[in-house]
Amino acid sequence: MFEKKQFIYSETMGVCKVVDIVKLSTKKDAGEGIYYYHLKAVADKLQDAYIPVEHHEVQLRELISKEEASSYKEEDVKKLPLLRQEEIAFVLNDEKLN
């Protein structure tokens, strides 16, 4: 489980910040509620999403380590998908992670 204020990687949004973990309920779950991550994309401040904490279909994971990000050669990074490139740049340049 991720924590509030943690930076993570979403396969659909790239680097995100876990803004909150909220309990939402619908008529279907009879008021019991389901916990969701409220994610805010780092690259696109207007993009946010609510992803179930359990049984989510979107791949969520911790960011790669600074060591792993440093191991990529510049020419190899350019061949990666844009969201992955953004993750590497974020890890190498963000002071909050260092």
Side-chain angles (χ1 to χ4, degrees):
M1 187 166 169
F2 302 113
E3 304 291 328
K4 282 171 73 171
K5 299 184 181 179
Q6 182 178 0
F7 289 98
I8 64 171
Y9 182 84
S10 161
E11 69 178 335
T12 58
M13 297 172 59
V15 177
C16 298
K17 184 175 185 177
V18 179
V19 177
D20 203 355
I21 300 171
V22 296
K23 187 176 184 179
L24 302 175
S25 61
T26 64
K27 291 178 186 177
K28 186 177 176 181
D29 63 32
E32 290 191 21
I34 299 171
Y35 284 97
Y36 287 82
Y37 294 117
H38 177 197
L39 303 178
K40 187 78 125 166
V42 170
D44 180 357
K45 302 288 186 207
L46 299 177
Q47 186 180 18
D48 66 344
Y50 288 85
I51 308 291
V53 170
E54 295 182 10
H55 310 296
H56 49 265
E57 295 179 15
V58 175
Q59 181 192 23
L60 302 175
R61 61 170 172 75
E62 291 189 17
L63 296 178
I64 60 173
S65 67
K66 188 170 184 179
E67 293 76 26
E68 184 178 348
S70 298
S71 71
Y72 284 96
K73 296 178 182 169
E74 190 173 333
E75 60 270 11
D76 294 334
V77 172
K78 292 178 182 178
K79 297 175 188 174
L80 296 171
L82 182 60
L83 292 178
R84 186 83 163 130
Q85 291 179 37
E86 290 173 355
E87 176 187 21
I88 292 167
F90 182 82
V91 169
L92 291 175
N93 297 318
D94 197 301
E95 292 300 316
K96 295 178 198 119
L97 299 174
N98 300 325

